[in-house]
Amino acid sequence: QVQLVESGGGLVQPGGSLRLSCAASGSGFSINAMGWYRQAPGSQRELVAVITNGGSTTYADSVKGRFTISRDNAKNTVYLQMNSLKPEDAAVYYCNADGREFFFRWRSFVSWGQGTQVTVSS
């Protein structure tokens, strides 16, 4: 089964930057889209950005112009460069991937990472 491991979260001051990484591991899989979601306390999980295996990207309006999603298909890794961070960006950020995996047969999968905390505070 495909597993996702995030890294790169932490504490940053308003206006600062962070870079999140998420690596997929497993055997016999191909990934279609990879993305980042976030969930703040008391709020629903929301899409931040997604990138397809062809490189097409989609961003939430609240992060356009500040965040950049990218991926390294050879490493099955997706990145989220976050610049000009605001206190309202603070949340647990989750990596997401979907595609197909071979587990006795080919089947579709959707996987989530365990989440990484991003805190924006002075």
Side-chain angles (χ1 to χ4, degrees):
Q1 294 180 335
V2 179
Q3 294 185 326
L4 303 177
V5 178
E6 302 117 332
S7 61
L11 171 65
V12 64
Q13 292 185 344
S17 298
L18 280 176
R19 188 191 194 209
L20 306 182
S21 300
C22 171
S25 63
S27 60
F29 66 94
S30 64
I31 297 175
N32 177 26
M34 300 186 80
W36 292 94
Y37 291 72
R38 67 187 181 187
Q39 188 168 18
S43 299
Q44 291 186 333
R45 190 173 298 189
E46 62 177 2
L47 172 71
V48 176
V50 64
I51 184 168
T52 68
N53 57 7
S56 297
T57 58
T58 301
Y59 294 93
D61 287 343
S62 59
V63 307
K64 284 180 180 177
R66 300 187 297 120
F67 291 10
T68 302
I69 190 170
S70 60
R71 66 189 279 179
D72 184 333
N73 290 333
K75 296 181 178 179
N76 292 313
T77 299
V78 64
Y79 307 95
L80 185 68
Q81 178 66 43
M82 305 185 293
N83 298 328
S84 302
L85 282 160
K86 304 176 181 180
E88 52 263 43
D89 294 317
V92 177
Y93 282 69
Y94 296 92
C95 178
N96 170 272
D98 68 79
R100 293 182 63 79
E101 64 177 352
F102 187 81
F103 189 71
F104 298 105
R105 59 178 176 82
W106 284 102
R107 65 183 187 183
S108 299
F109 77 87
V110 177
S111 291
W112 291 91
Q114 79 286 355
T116 184
Q117 178 71 50
V118 172
T119 302
V120 185
S121 175
S122 55

